[in-house]
Amino acid sequence: MRKKLVVGNWKMHGSRAANAELLAGILGARPFTCDVGVCVPFVYIADAAVSLAASDIRWGSQDVSPHEQGAYTGEVSAKMLRELGCRYAIVGHSERRAFHQESDQLVADKAKTALGHGLTPIVCVGETLEQREAGQTEAVVKRQLSAVIHTLGHCAGEMVVAYEPVWAIGTGRTATPEQAQAVHAVLRAQLQAATSHAETMKILYGGSVKPDNAATLFSQPDIDGGLIGGAALKATDFVAICRAAG
Ligand code: 13P
């Protein structure tokens, strides 16, 4: 039985005051039976580290540089994130693939650098509505995941995968549990072919997860938790989703 994981992706939201209130709300609701994490904007990582250090809630970033160090203005290295105690680094979120033209290979390189510094990459994959309607869902997610599997090699078993259909992100339109499970099963089979750890690897679902749909999504056999956007910004909603993960 895989332990469920629920991670909040705050995206570009928050303020020091709002974050403190949100984290206090989450901390006050402990204990959780699932693993819980928050991926916060870079500038708030140090604050999150202080707030969460004495707890079992983990924190992380929403991106990481593929480079070790050097003249890369504006980038943040895996080593820096690790120094601030990050456990997770989201890589390949569809918003970065779309707005920053991140390629499958760049995402894979970021995942590799993260792992090399002890961060667990949460690798996002997912199809657009156009791709789904053209019957390309499987091919798209397999292509995205395959670049990462190939680049990570024998370490592939250490990543967390997140299936986030682009059409379900921030739209209020969730994949049905059956739609999500079908893609998760495809991803699990792909991991099975590549690593001996596929049965213990976590595959999260993301895209309009809310307190009222979380339990049915999380009850699917290959859905091991969630990557939560909007609902992660309100402590009561995020806590309810963590509870739904059992
Ligand atoms: P929403 O939960 O707001 O749809 O966002 C999902 C997401 O992109 C998490 O990474």
Side-chain angles (χ1 to χ4, degrees):
M1 185 70 181
R2 291 176 290 271
K3 192 172 183 187
K4 296 258 193 296
L5 169 65
V6 175
V7 176
N9 172 11
W10 290 3
K11 307 193 180 184
M12 199 172 72
H13 292 288
S15 66
R16 297 184 90 178
N19 302 345
E21 194 182 326
L22 175 54
L23 290 177
I26 299 168
L27 286 167
R30 285 174 304 147
F32 298 108
T33 36
C34 64
D35 288 329
V36 177
V38 289
C39 287
V40 310
F42 286 131
V43 292
Y44 297 132
I45 289 174
D47 282 351
V50 171
S51 300
L52 301 175
S55 80
D56 55 359
I57 314 278
R58 303 290 168 215
W59 58 95
S61 65
Q62 301 168 14
D63 188 26
V64 61
S65 174
H67 306 291
E68 289 294 323
Q69 63 169 10
Y72 300 103
T73 302
E75 296 213 31
V76 176
S77 75
K79 193 174 169 194
M80 295 169 187
L81 295 172
R82 199 53 209 146
E83 191 182 6
L84 288 181
C86 287
R87 162 71 64 92
Y88 299 108
I90 296 173
V91 298
H93 192 280
S94 61
E95 287 149 17
R96 294 210 60 88
R97 291 181 191 261
F99 306 145
H100 299 270
Q101 290 78 43
E102 293 198 1
S103 66
D104 294 339
Q105 190 54 53
L106 177 62
V107 172
D109 291 342
K110 289 182 171 192
K112 186 169 186 184
T113 308
L115 264 186
H117 288 276
L119 298 165
T120 299
I122 301 177
V123 177
C124 301
V125 300
E127 81 289 1
T128 62
L129 185 58
E130 195 182 14
Q131 289 165 332
R132 172 161 284 263
E133 285 173 347
Q136 295 167 348
T137 299
E138 234 182 82
V140 168
V141 297
K142 280 168 108 171
R143 188 202 72 221
Q144 292 172 332
L145 186 59
S146 131
V148 185
I149 288 173
H150 184 76
T151 297
L152 295 187
H154 68 277
C155 297
E158 292 171 42
M159 71 176 140
V160 168
V161 177
Y163 169 55
E164 298 207 316
V166 177
W167 47 272
I169 296 177
T171 58
R173 185 174 164 189
T174 323
T176 65
E178 295 73 25
Q179 279 175 324
Q181 166 57 29
V183 177
H184 281 233
V186 165
L187 296 170
R188 179 96 51 209
Q190 189 178 2
L191 294 169
Q192 251 147 7
T195 145
S196 52
H197 303 292
E199 280 312 314
T200 55
M201 289 178 70
K202 293 188 208 301
I203 308 178
L204 312 182
Y205 169 79
S208 297
V209 178
K210 307 287 175 207
D212 63 359
N213 61 22
T216 26
L217 284 161
F218 297 165
S219 68
Q220 298 298 309
D222 288 297
I223 300 185
D224 306 315
L227 187 55
I228 319 300
L233 299 173
K234 206 172 144 202
T236 48
D237 285 355
F238 187 65
V239 165
I241 292 169
C242 293
R243 297 253 187 271

